[in-house]
Amino acid sequence: MRVLGLMSGTSADGVDAVLASFSGPPQRPRWKLEKHHFNPYPAELQRQLIGVGQGQSFDSSTLLELAEAVTEQQALAARACDPQGRAKLVGCHGQTLWHRPPQAAQRGASWQLLQGPLLAELLATPVVFDFRSADLALGGQGAPLVPPADQALLGRCGGWRAVLNLGGIANLTLIPPAHGPESCLQVRGWDCGPANTLLDLATMHFSGGLQSYDADGAWARQGQMDEALIQRWLAEPYFQSPPPKSTGRELFGQADLERRLAEVKGRDAADALATLTGFSAAVVAQELGHGPQAIELLVAGGGCRNSLLVEQLQRRCRGLIVRPLAEFGIGEAEREALAFALLAWWHALGHEGNLPSVTGASGGAVLGLCARPQSGRCKRTLRGAPRRRWGFWA
């Protein structure tokens, strides 16, 4: 089956779309990644989405318009990636606005902005969306959801294989070895902490909004890292907590950046960026200690384009072979969109998509809801389409 996967991450910079085909057993499918397309969000939309994620107040009308705009951007990305409409199914993560992990006296919750039925109408294709709710309802973190897909797509090797995504937030997957006494163990995975969130916010701060990210880490290279400060930050509660755990801008956003910048007060922008870059790498190195010893680290996500961050990973993750996930045929920006295409395929098969060993849920679940188009044809324009009744697959 051909499936279109759509993903927009914590950075809220746009939509990655992949067209992929899947066949065979769901646990170890035969797959082919046919095309990838990135559709950037308009600057004002990105600004508003990040603002919501930072806790800024917006009225209901604005939030409704944001949901519609995000949905239309997903449709644009989908059409650009699959102009002939060959996909039989779409898996769309939506745009995370807020994520609340489970706490002692409160269940977890997560808000992915998307109008799934509208997207199904715009694309005239069934759309699987709202992937996190079923896991959350079972007491899980609702995140990360990509680790079981990593195992299905990449398979196992002679030892524990680690897969790292350097998006806005860094998250890890640990895949058990193919043979030996640990081969019967479950996949592990969790959110490590900040990767690009603090770096991007700091770059915007120091550039007066002229730069949204530190391209290739060039600015940070001009500074000196404060190693003592990095080690002090690593002692904070989130980094000392064992998995399962998940996080986002709610914890590592603007307020967190301002606190950290106050601690590097007196140093110039390059020193602050260098320290934050080293911190992002140090977080991953420390978090690897929460799981079994891996023999290799496969790296994906936008942070791969920051050579200083990658160098810091290689230096701090001693004893690990660090190499790009692209060596396995999955580009740095394709991994998560491909995973949500696979999760949508699993939904169609009735195959469980979460792993209690990753999220802490009380059991497995088929993830997502599926909205079916009622019109039977694609809309020629994204705005002004007639309203219709919506159909769902539970």
Side-chain angles (χ1 to χ4, degrees):
M1 177 189 285
R2 278 197 178 92
V3 185
L4 197 63
L6 302 172
M7 176 67 191
S8 179
T10 312
S11 298
D13 55 352
V15 184
D16 282 297
V18 299
L19 181 64
S21 59
F22 303 99
S23 62
Q27 296 92 337
R28 194 71 177 96
R30 295 182 295 275
W31 60 274
K32 181 180 179 182
L33 204 164
E34 299 184 16
K35 189 175 179 181
H36 168 255
H37 176 80
F38 175 70
N39 182 60
Y41 281 151
E44 178 59 18
L45 177 60
Q46 182 186 22
R47 186 193 68 77
Q48 289 182 302
L49 291 172
I50 291 176
V52 176
Q54 302 291 157
Q56 294 180 17
S57 296
F58 287 82
D59 59 34
S60 299
S61 174
T62 301
L63 288 172
L64 186 62
E65 290 173 0
L66 279 176
E68 187 176 29
V70 165
T71 303
E72 291 173 348
Q73 290 297 316
Q74 305 283 335
L76 288 172
R79 288 175 172 175
C81 187
D82 183 23
Q84 286 81 39
R86 294 180 295 166
K88 301 299 183 184
L89 186 65
V90 177
C92 184
H93 174 264
Q95 180 65 56
T96 298
L97 293 187
W98 198 260
H99 181 76
R100 187 188 72 207
Q103 300 172 7
Q106 191 177 40
R107 69 172 61 90
S110 196
W111 184 6
Q112 281 68 51
L113 194 68
L114 185 76
Q115 294 179 346
L118 174 60
L119 184 60
E121 280 296 301
L122 294 174
L123 299 178
T125 308
V127 172
V128 182
F129 66 108
D130 192 18
F131 285 95
R132 302 193 185 276
S133 295
D135 186 84
L136 287 159
L138 291 171
Q141 298 271 326
L145 296 181
V146 176
D150 282 334
Q151 176 174 241
L153 295 169
L154 298 172
R156 303 185 179 200
C157 64
W160 283 88
R161 166 177 280 165
V163 187
L164 171 67
N165 184 66
L166 291 172
I169 297 297
N171 49 65
L172 272 172
T173 296
L174 286 169
I175 303 172
H179 307 288
E182 293 185 312
S183 62
C184 61
L185 298 180
Q186 291 291 315
V187 173
R188 304 279 304 280
W190 63 93
D191 286 347
C192 303
N196 297 316
T197 49
L198 299 182
L199 284 171
D200 291 350
L201 288 170
T203 302
M204 286 188 280
H205 169 77
F206 288 121
S207 69
L210 296 178
Q211 295 176 233
S212 59
Y213 64 97
D214 182 14
D216 198 32
W219 198 347
R221 276 191 190 279
Q222 301 171 32
Q224 296 293 320
M225 295 181 189
D226 187 334
E227 195 63 38
L229 189 54
I230 290 172
Q231 294 304 315
R232 188 160 78 243
W233 289 346
L234 290 175
E236 294 171 1
Y238 184 83
F239 308 117
Q240 297 300 312
S241 301
K245 58 182 180 178
S246 57
T247 190
R249 286 188 182 274
E250 307 79 28
L251 185 57
F252 299 109
Q254 187 65 40
D256 185 62
L257 173 68
E258 291 172 2
R259 176 178 66 85
R260 297 188 194 281
L261 291 183
E263 296 188 54
V264 295
K265 191 173 183 179
R267 293 176 174 268
D268 64 14
D271 288 343
L273 289 168
T275 300
L276 289 169
T277 303
F279 175 51
S280 291
V283 162
V284 173
Q286 178 169 285
E287 289 292 316
L288 281 164
H290 285 311
Q293 179 62 51
I295 64 171
E296 66 178 1
L297 181 66
L298 310 180
V299 187
C304 288
R305 297 189 289 272
N306 184 326
S307 62
L308 179 60
L309 178 55
V310 173
E311 289 169 17
Q312 283 292 306
L313 274 174
Q314 293 169 331
R315 183 176 77 81
R316 294 174 187 270
C317 298
R318 296 184 180 90
L320 275 180
I321 300 170
V322 180
R323 53 182 178 147
L325 182 61
E327 292 182 7
F328 288 75
I330 303 174
E332 62 190 37
E334 298 166 349
R335 171 182 172 252
E336 292 191 307
L338 179 61
F340 280 95
L342 178 65
L343 288 171
W345 183 59
W346 280 352
H347 175 99
L349 296 177
H351 181 73
E352 293 178 357
N354 67 329
L355 276 178
S357 61
V358 172
T359 66
S362 61
V366 176
L367 302 182
L369 301 173
C370 188
R372 295 178 293 177
Q374 300 299 302
S375 64
R377 62 183 179 84
C378 289
K379 302 295 184 296
R380 295 189 178 277
T381 60
L382 291 180
R383 290 194 180 274
R387 293 186 177 184
R388 300 178 183 272
R389 296 190 311 162
W390 312 116
F392 292 92
W393 291 337

